[in-house]
Amino acid sequence: MKIGVISDTHGWIDPAVYEHFAVVDEIWHAGDAGTADVVTALEKFKPLRAVWGNVDGTDVRMATKEYLFFRAGLKNVLIIHIGGYPGRYAPRALALIRELKPDIFVCGHSHIAKVIFDKTHEMLCINPGSAGRTGIHKVMTMLRFVIEGEKISDMEVIEFGNRGRTRGQ
């Protein structure tokens, strides 16, 4: 199963998302879609699992959940927008981590791409950075990887443009 992970689109999808995610089986959006149109467009493109973020209004919140917990391959996955990272988890995220004990923890919000293994909670922490044009980041990023049973492989951080610029500019 090939997975594409994206976050913090803030109401806009760069055409590069469709190019890089053409090969994925499923997209995980870790919040701050920005508009329901982003959610709808991604759902039409590929199967989508999405959570809402702090900038998302009622339209996005009606189409998504605060967090998702599900199985991908033989791995338990938790996705929430404001999550943090090992040693600095947001309180709500930490409570869910302790309760649900995921193998893979996905969050957004920071606009900084990170992939870190948390030895304390024995889980892989993934933040795809930001795929949107607004925020503190300088380069738009997203992630792609493979889950086969218990194995996670082929983790790629995809950098696809400078923030505030559309392709071709």
Side-chain angles (χ1 to χ4, degrees), residues 19-161:
E19 292 171 29
H20 291 290
F21 285 177
V23 298
V24 305
D25 299 305
E26 194 167 275
I27 297 171
W28 300 349
H29 195 301
D32 278 1
T35 66
D37 290 343
V38 166
V39 174
T40 302
L42 291 173
E43 284 174 332
K44 286 180 181 176
F45 178 59
K46 296 283 180 173
L48 176 69
R49 297 182 192 260
V51 298
W52 52 259
N54 57 296
V55 305
D56 291 322
T58 304
D59 60 340
V60 174
R61 290 175 189 234
M62 295 291 287
T64 61
K65 306 252 186 224
E66 175 197 7
Y67 71 90
L68 292 173
F69 183 70
F70 58 94
R71 202 141 171 89
L74 298 174
K75 298 291 189 181
N76 290 320
V77 180
L78 172 63
I79 304 176
I80 191 167
H81 181 60
I82 299 176
Y85 51 90
R88 298 193 61 151
Y89 292 111
R92 175 73 170 137
L94 183 57
L96 290 168
I97 290 165
R98 287 178 173 156
E99 176 189 345
L100 301 172
K101 299 180 180 14
D103 301 302
I104 302 171
F105 173 70
V106 180
C107 65
H109 188 63
S110 72
H111 291 224
I112 301 167
K114 287 186 182 186
V115 179
I116 304 170
F117 186 78
D118 181 338
K119 293 177 186 175
T120 301
H121 296 284
E122 296 183 12
M123 66 182 184
L124 183 63
C125 301
I126 298 172
N127 186 322
S130 176
R133 293 185 287 192
T134 59
I136 63 165
H137 60 287
K138 293 186 181 190
V139 176
M140 295 179 291
T141 59
M142 56 190 166
L143 300 175
R144 201 168 51 191
F145 67 99
V146 174
I147 298 176
E148 294 178 85
E150 283 284 335
K151 185 179 174 189
I152 299 168
S153 64
D154 302 321
M155 183 69 68
E156 300 174 86
V157 175
I158 301 164
E159 295 182 350
F160 61 99

